[in-house]
């Protein structure tokens, strides 16, 4: 039995919340060491950490979802091509599966928005 179409907007919100939490975790790891981040922070890693921390939190609550997701998607694309792609063509072999998926999930949010369970939806109802 397929999931009814009426659930699509709610499941969009669930995907946004889970992706936001996962992305936020990367920023927390870089700045607060939970879980420990194995590399010293360079300028690029600090910039990525800020996008992960702030962007992850905003995506989690669904505030400014479209522009934040677009920026996060771009950061993931740059990260993939700078860090993972030089190690091989296939994401499963170069360690880039997660960042590739984040890139396209965030690109989807940039187009689709945050769903019905988001701060953006609440603000749209008030306007």
């Amino acid at each position: 039995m397929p999931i009814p179409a009426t659930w699509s907007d709610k499941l969009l919100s669930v995907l946004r919340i889970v992706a936001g939490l996962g992305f936020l975790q990367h920023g927390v790891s870089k700045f607060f060491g939970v879980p420990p981040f194995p590399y010293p922070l360079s300028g690029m890693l600090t910039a990525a950490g800020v996008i992960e921390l702030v962007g992850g939190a905003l995506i989690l609550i669904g505030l400014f979802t479209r522009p934040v997701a677009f920026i996060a998607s771009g950061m993931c694309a740059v990260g993939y091509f700078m860090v993972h792609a030089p190690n091989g063509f296939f994401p499963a072999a170069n360690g880039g599966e997660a960042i590739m998926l984040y890139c396209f999930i965030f690109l989807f949010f940039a187009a689709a928005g945050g769903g019905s369970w988001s701060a953006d939806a609440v603000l749209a109802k008030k306007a």
Side-chain angles (χ1 to χ4, degrees):
M1 183 161 89
I3 297 172
T6 56
W7 276 86
S8 63
D9 203 41
K10 294 167 184 66
L11 290 174
L12 171 64
S13 294
V14 171
L15 177 61
R16 176 188 45 78
I17 290 165
V18 171
L21 278 170
F23 203 58
L24 176 64
Q25 172 218 320
H26 288 277
V28 169
S29 175
K30 284 181 180 72
F31 292 121
F32 303 109
V34 180
F37 188 69
Y39 307 107
L41 290 182
S42 64
M44 290 289 281
L45 283 175
T46 300
V50 168
I51 293 171
E52 291 163 350
L53 192 66
V54 175
L58 290 171
I59 289 170
L60 172 64
I61 63 173
L63 183 62
F64 308 122
T65 305
R66 290 175 192 262
V68 171
F70 185 75
I71 292 167
S73 177
M75 187 221 72
C76 290
V78 168
Y80 180 81
F81 285 107
M82 287 185 72
V83 177
H84 299 282
N87 297 326
F89 179 76
F90 298 103
N94 69 23
E97 284 179 297
I99 199 167
M100 176 194 63
L101 287 172
Y102 277 124
C103 179
F104 284 96
I105 289 169
F106 292 144
L107 188 60
F108 174 67
F109 292 147
S116 58
W117 297 337
S118 68
D120 291 337
V122 171
L123 292 174
K125 286 181 185 177
K126 288 184 179 183

